[in-house]
Amino acid sequence: MLRSFAARALGGASAVAFLAAVPAAAQDQSQDAATGKEAQEKGAEGNFLGTIDIGESARAIRTDTATPITVVGREEIEDRQASTIAELLDSVPGVTLINGSTPIGSGINIRGFGANGTYGTDQKVAFVVDGATTGSEEIYRVGTQLFTDPLLYKQAQVIRGTVGSFEWGSGIIGGVVLLETNDASTVLHGKTGITASQTVSGQTNGNGFATSTTVAAMPTEQFEFLANYTWRTQSTQQDGHGDDIGNSKFDLPGFLVKGAFHFGADNAHTIAASFNQTTTSDRDVPYDSFGTTAGVFGNVDRDTKSQVLTVSYAYDPVDNDAVNLQLLYTYANQEIDQSAVGTPISAVLDADHRYETSKITLKNAALFTTGPIRHNLHFGVEYIHKKRADASSAPGGTDNRMAAFAVDEIGLFQGFTLSPAIRWETSNIKSNRTGTPVSYNNQAWMGGVSARYELPFGLAAFGSWARTRNLPIIDDLDNATYMNQPEKSRTWEAGGSFDRTDLLGRGDHLAIKVNYYDTQMTDNTSYSGVSEVYLDGFEIEASYATTSGLYFDFNATIPDGERLRTTGVIDDWTNLPQKTYMLSAGKRFGKLLDVRWETTLAEDLDINGTEHEGFDVHNLRATIKPSGGIFENVALRLSVENIFDTYYQSALSTRPATGRNFKAALSKMF
């Protein structure tokens, strides 16, 4: 079956590449019309000879680090026309979605950890927005609390695994999602002035519509301000069979305000603040947003609010590389107010939830040398205060933590980098229920090290080892054993990369990164009936691009995993994603047109006798950017997702995926 999938996908990709290449022969190949990065070319004596164009693929691959990290920039955020953060990240290797096309009853799974069909989180994947730790602890059958719109952000980063996580928290096994909101200096490219932009978009499946309005101003180099309002709505969607997808209707209004004041010599001092809020309101919907217990709980009216506030001071003097200081105060608030429709079957239907996380972080990034050894040292301390309201099946309390971390990228000699990392964290959890007070204290050391060696011709090898501790959470306050039992994990990784320009032709660019990981989690308290979890797998990223505008991108997620049950039986890990392969082929015609074909293939998967059928899905995207006159700074984005209207449901999802969906977005900057 997979062979036929591959033939179909590769055939489609080859066809679009061929069709795209035909008009290229007639295309003006002047330097002004060419796309791609420019690089200076020097002769044998180092004299400047001019610039050459370097081919660009859809997404850059981070071959310069041993950390498995993928960055989705603003251009890709707009091109993908995603309705949710989960949907935005579904093309990142190692990332698997739980019902990703809606903000309700969905979630993100990385390397087999994170969201699952019962809870929206298991605390092993961290979500950080502008430095604020967001997302709730476990809420039964409700899903993730990452309710926010992709158009509020300029960048999303995914760090997979543990080795790159110690600056961001403890107990991170699956990975970290780092979201950074848009800002005026980025919109205005660092130039003073004021601008406004408007984006309107729509989709046929579910009659979706979105509008996003941004105003950005930099009256001087010292002051910048940005405001954005985004409203997204969607009716019930249909799957590939034309049947309704339950719980897929939503309205998602959100806004962002952000400003900064730069002062002092060379504007080295910066005071900045940002606030964003997203809300949803659902009426007469199933309490079980995953849709796996139809009729068991009944329906609810549910209002959800997510807020993130960041206030920071930064000092980055131009003449001192050893100082890049930042002091941040962040506050994240997630609220769920719900009430049963009719007579409640269970008390959970009338349970209101609230999670507040306040954090103060002081950190510095220092570049310095000790003799011949170069250092890029990140270190800091932070205080974290979590508060959870008491609700049915969700005990309330407070969690106060102190933490310190240090990550040093050490250049020992030419081409070789060693990066040790360490984190210490202590936790005090108290119940806020009436009666006898309960309090638990835990602390842990965790850390790791990675090494990377690069040869002069672009080939590099790397490896890492890391261990972390997931300290007890407020949700387990009713279990004294769990409150004294931090979960433990260790992960080691190994891989290689190749990054070369002018490989097959002048200005072409090939980048490949292959990573193998092996993870073991013990002392489990997150999954019922499980003692230990063992996961391993490969993640592959590759891209190739030419100066003519032709480009290819490929990535693969190839996981495997088992669990040790409390009965002593070893069987398949139930949250194991399918083996997935993604290929895209595209062509840029100068700055005017970018057209791309994408295909995703997933293999059949058998989890303890439960069969999950493989699938192949194809998308076609085009971005048109005319120039001159009224068309200056105009972009039209068109796409068809699931072109063949394929019916499928990934192994971790609890409802079918969306059928064929035509999308269009028109944006204009004034």
Side-chain angles (χ1 to χ4, degrees):
M1 181 178 292
L2 181 61
R3 185 176 300 173
S4 65
F5 287 171
R8 186 177 175 186
L10 293 174
S14 301
V16 74
F18 173 76
L19 292 174
V22 172
Q27 180 189 358
D28 180 7
Q29 295 295 332
S30 68
Q31 181 170 315
D32 290 339
T35 60
K37 298 178 181 177
E38 291 185 342
Q40 293 184 354
E41 185 180 43
K42 296 183 179 180
E45 298 180 357
N47 298 320
F48 175 69
L49 301 178
T51 60
I52 59 171
D53 291 319
I54 298 176
E56 284 185 284
S57 58
R59 180 191 296 159
I61 298 174
R62 291 292 307 273
T63 58
D64 60 331
T65 176
T67 302
I69 181 172
T70 300
V71 180
V72 179
R74 179 67 186 187
E75 185 77 13
E76 185 176 354
I77 290 174
E78 295 179 345
D79 285 348
R80 291 188 63 79
Q81 302 180 63
S83 298
T84 66
I85 293 296
E87 198 174 46
L88 173 67
L89 301 178
D90 68 350
S91 63
V92 174
V95 174
T96 305
L97 305 189
I98 312 293
N99 312 326
S101 63
T102 64
I104 309 298
S106 66
I108 296 174
N109 185 287
I110 303 178
R111 291 187 175 180
F113 294 105
N116 53 66
T118 304
Y119 298 102
T121 178
D122 60 10
Q123 298 83 49
K124 294 163 188 62
V125 172
F127 298 94
V128 181
V129 178
D130 285 349
T133 301
T134 66
S136 69
E137 295 185 347
E138 299 171 352
I139 308 180
Y140 185 64
R141 302 292 179 183
V142 173
T144 181
Q145 296 308 298
L146 191 64
F147 295 103
T148 187
D149 196 281
L151 290 179
L152 299 181
Y153 299 92
K154 69 175 182 180
Q155 180 175 276
Q157 298 184 63
V158 178
I159 301 174
R160 301 183 296 278
T162 300
V163 72
S165 71
F166 296 110
E167 184 174 343
W168 310 107
S170 62
I172 299 170
I173 307 175
V176 186
V177 176
L178 301 173
L179 299 172
E180 188 175 354
T181 54
N182 211 0
D183 53 52
S185 59
T186 300
V187 173
L188 291 166
H189 305 289
K191 300 178 181 179
T192 59
I194 184 170
T195 188
S197 64
Q198 176 65 46
T199 298
V200 291
S201 62
Q203 63 183 43
T204 58
N205 198 325
N207 297 320
F209 175 79
T211 176
S212 181
T213 305
T214 300
V215 176
M218 288 184 63
T220 68
E221 292 183 353
Q222 285 73 42
F223 179 74
E224 61 178 278
F225 174 79
L226 179 140
N228 172 275
Y229 176 78
T230 298
W231 178 65
R232 189 179 300 275
T233 185
Q234 176 180 289
S235 298
T236 300
Q237 292 188 307
Q238 285 74 45
D239 60 27
H241 288 162
D243 298 326
D244 288 350
I245 302 175
N247 215 26
S248 58
K249 179 181 178 181
F250 68 87
D251 290 296
L252 198 72
F255 69 86
L256 164 71
V257 289
K258 190 173 185 179
F261 176 59
H262 312 278
F263 60 96
D266 300 311
N267 290 329
H269 302 268
T270 299
I271 296 175
S274 70
F275 177 78
N276 73 78
Q277 174 179 293
T278 306
T279 59
T280 63
S281 183
D282 302 293
R283 293 295 175 267
D284 200 10
V285 297
Y287 167 80
D288 180 2
S289 60
F290 291 105
T292 58
T293 56
V296 174
F297 290 100
N299 287 11
V300 296
D301 293 334
R302 179 184 289 137
D303 295 305
T304 304
K305 178 189 295 183
S306 179
Q307 299 173 317
V308 175
L309 169 69
T310 299
V311 180
S312 65
Y313 164 76
Y315 177 52
D316 185 12
V318 175
D319 57 353
N320 190 346
D321 290 337
V323 177
N324 187 353
L325 188 68
Q326 194 172 28
L327 175 64
L328 297 95
Y329 168 77
T330 64
Y331 171 76
N333 175 48
Q334 285 85 39
E335 299 179 37
I336 302 175
D337 296 328
Q338 59 189 7
S339 58
V341 175
T343 303
I345 299 174
S346 169
V348 299
L349 275 70
D350 284 323
D352 295 334
H353 303 272
R354 186 174 186 183
Y355 297 83
E356 299 172 90
T357 304
S358 301
K359 186 167 66 172
I360 299 174
T361 304
L362 177 64
K363 59 183 179 179
N364 185 63
L367 297 171
F368 61 95
T369 60
T370 53
I373 300 176
R374 296 172 288 107
H375 296 265
N376 182 1
L377 174 63
H378 290 236
F379 61 94
V381 294
E382 59 186 7
Y383 168 74
I384 308 166
H385 173 74
K386 296 182 180 180
K387 184 178 179 181
R388 170 170 164 160
D390 192 40
S392 177
S393 299
T398 59
D399 184 352
N400 293 297
R401 301 192 180 201
M402 290 293 299
F405 62 86
V407 182
D408 193 8
E409 184 179 298
I410 306 171
L412 294 175
F413 53 84
Q414 183 67 34
F416 183 75
T417 303
L418 186 70
S419 301
I422 193 169
R423 183 180 181 92
W424 169 82
E425 191 164 311
T426 181
S427 169
N428 171 254
I429 297 180
K430 294 181 180 180
S431 172
N432 63 9
R433 287 179 170 173
T434 58
T436 304
V438 179
S439 178
Y440 298 93
N441 294 296
N442 287 277
Q443 65 173 341
W445 287 92
M446 57 208 81
V449 62
S450 64
R452 180 179 180 271
Y453 180 64
E454 181 176 354
L455 297 170
F457 51 86
L459 183 66
F462 53 82
S464 67
W465 175 88
R467 52 168 277 178
T468 190
R469 298 291 182 265
N470 190 23
L471 300 181
I473 59 176
I474 300 173
D475 190 69
D476 289 332
L477 267 170
D478 293 335
N479 189 320
T481 300
Y482 284 3
M483 293 306 297
N484 291 289
Q485 182 177 310
E487 294 177 317
K488 303 174 184 177
S489 82
R490 68 103 187 106
T491 298
W492 66 267
E493 307 192 19
S497 65
F498 181 73
D499 197 319
R500 188 74 181 270
T501 303
D502 298 333
L503 184 68
L504 301 178
R506 183 180 176 86
D508 70 346
H509 182 210
L510 174 67
I512 302 172
K513 188 172 184 178
V514 180
N515 194 71
Y516 173 80
Y517 65 90
D518 185 290
T519 298
Q520 177 180 342
M521 188 193 78
T522 59
D523 292 349
N524 165 65
T525 62
S526 298
Y527 314 108
S528 299
V530 177
S531 296
E532 300 181 3
V533 179
Y534 318 102
L535 290 170
D536 64 274
F538 285 92
E539 294 162 349
I540 304 171
E541 298 175 277
S543 68
Y544 177 74
T546 69
T547 56
S548 67
L550 187 66
Y551 62 90
F552 300 90
D553 290 277
F554 172 80
N555 70 63
T557 301
I558 309 173
D560 194 13
E562 295 177 323
R563 64 180 178 179
L564 172 63
R565 306 182 71 172
T566 53
T567 59
V569 175
I570 295 179
D571 57 9
D572 299 325
W573 175 230
T574 52
N575 294 330
L576 186 69
Q578 290 166 279
K579 294 180 175 66
T580 308
Y581 313 88
M582 299 182 181
L583 172 68
S584 66
K587 178 71 170 70
R588 294 187 179 93
F589 300 94
K591 297 179 180 179
L592 174 63
L593 174 64
D594 182 357
V595 60
R596 179 168 75 250
W597 181 286
E598 303 171 345
T599 182
T600 300
L601 296 87
E603 291 191 32
D604 295 342
L605 178 64
D606 184 332
I607 298 293
N608 300 321
T610 300
E611 295 285 345
H612 300 278
E613 187 176 352
F615 55 86
D616 64 319
V617 181
H618 304 264
N619 308 321
L620 180 63
R621 305 186 190 278
T623 300
I624 305 168
K625 293 183 177 180
S627 60
I630 63 173
F631 295 109
E632 192 69 29
N633 296 320
V634 171
L636 175 63
R637 294 175 169 86
L638 305 171
S639 63
V640 188
E641 297 180 351
N642 195 356
I643 294 175
F644 302 113
D645 206 16
T646 302
Y647 176 88
Y648 70 100
Q649 181 173 326
S650 65
L652 295 183
S653 292
T654 63
R655 53 183 185 242
T658 307
R660 185 187 296 114
N661 197 3
F662 293 88
K663 292 184 175 181
L666 179 65
S667 61
K668 165 69 175 176
M669 181 175 291
F670 302 92

